[in-house]
Amino acid sequence: MSFSGEDVPVHYLRMPHVEKGMAVGLFGGSFNPPHAGHALVAETALRRLRLDQLWWIVTPGNPLKDNSGLAPLSERIERSEACAKDPRIKVTAFEAGYRLRYTADMIDLVRRRNRGVHFVWIMGADSLRDFHRWERWRHIARTVPIAVFDRPGATLSFLSSTMAKAFGHARIDESDAPLLARITPPAWTFIHGPRSSLSSTALRDAARREEGR
């Protein structure tokens, strides 16, 4: 995984500014490329979780995936900014600035440096299926509340995933989603709602087909 931030404006390599008492969503991913489906999750999270901010965290790469086809970090940041219309969405790449590899380490650092801020991890249901493969996944679930957003073809993952089974006792009803950021973890919920059929994989495949013509 590359941590190069040479072509990235320095403010993207720092954490966004927050104030004590805020509720902040952490929405991380490779965003290779970002698309309207990501924006839909971010905007839905702001509304349903009643967040003051959402950090759109563009990661250096995914430790569980082949990153050979990863677009430059600067390009993914620029395209994320184009997707993120709400001013409460803060596009950032501070993981590269701090040379962080795993989500668990990132969340620990964020919480240490922002005492009194209520963070909630935001993920798509498609990621929930493999969540148990993440480094220190149980630690993540016990450290920060988690909001899982419905994705096409992954609706039932909240019932069948290892994480959902292991932390079934900690699931709250989605009607209580506005309270999630301030609930002591482990706590998680599954958010149903509008879904986008777009996927980064499909967009990359379409781009390669176009280039091959």
Side-chain angles (χ1 to χ4, degrees):
M1 183 188 301
S2 173
F3 288 97
S4 174
E6 295 176 3
D7 55 350
V8 175
V10 68
H11 70 275
Y12 286 113
L13 303 178
R14 304 189 185 113
M15 287 184 201
H17 175 74
V18 288
E19 300 287 346
K20 286 184 178 180
M22 281 186 170
V24 178
L26 302 174
F27 183 37
S30 301
F31 300 110
N32 187 46
H35 53 70
H38 294 131
L40 179 61
V41 169
E43 291 161 5
T44 303
L46 282 168
R47 184 178 69 256
R48 295 289 297 276
L49 303 176
R50 294 185 187 171
L51 302 175
D52 298 296
Q53 282 187 17
L54 180 138
W55 293 3
W56 181 306
I57 306 168
V58 185
T59 67
N62 187 330
L64 296 177
K65 294 182 179 180
D66 177 7
N67 294 304
S68 60
L70 201 60
L73 183 59
S74 59
E75 178 182 324
R76 290 182 284 128
I77 291 172
E78 183 178 358
R79 296 181 72 169
S80 293
E81 285 281 22
C83 288
K85 305 299 184 183
D86 193 301
R88 293 172 295 174
I89 299 175
K90 311 297 180 181
V91 175
T92 178
F94 71 87
E95 281 187 319
Y98 287 94
R99 302 184 66 81
L100 296 170
R101 179 176 174 83
Y102 297 113
T103 297
D105 296 328
M106 180 269 285
I107 289 173
D108 285 346
L109 177 65
V110 164
R111 293 178 70 247
R112 281 198 309 270
R113 294 180 65 91
N114 298 280
R115 305 286 186 182
V117 177
H118 306 283
F119 290 101
V120 57
W121 180 253
I122 293 165
M123 65 194 302
D126 47 343
S127 296
L128 183 64
R129 288 181 299 213
D130 295 324
F131 187 64
H132 64 283
R133 298 177 58 207
W134 293 23
E135 185 78 9
R136 297 161 64 214
W137 67 275
R138 292 178 184 272
H139 173 76
I140 296 172
R142 293 183 177 121
T143 301
V144 66
I146 298 173
V148 182
F149 286 79
D150 203 358
R151 291 279 292 146
T155 301
L156 297 180
S157 60
F158 79 101
L159 295 175
S160 60
S161 72
T162 300
M163 182 274 191
K165 293 176 180 177
F167 289 93
H169 64 284
R171 183 184 170 206
I172 69 168
D173 192 88
E174 68 177 295
S175 63
D176 292 322
L179 308 174
L180 182 64
R182 292 176 168 82
I183 294 178
T184 301
W188 68 281
T189 194
F190 191 95
I191 306 292
H192 297 82
R195 300 179 300 177
S196 170
S197 61
L198 291 173
S199 78
S200 295
T201 301
L203 291 174
R204 289 196 302 273
D205 290 345
R208 280 194 289 268
R209 287 195 297 271
E210 188 67 25
E211 290 172 358
R213 287 184 178 179

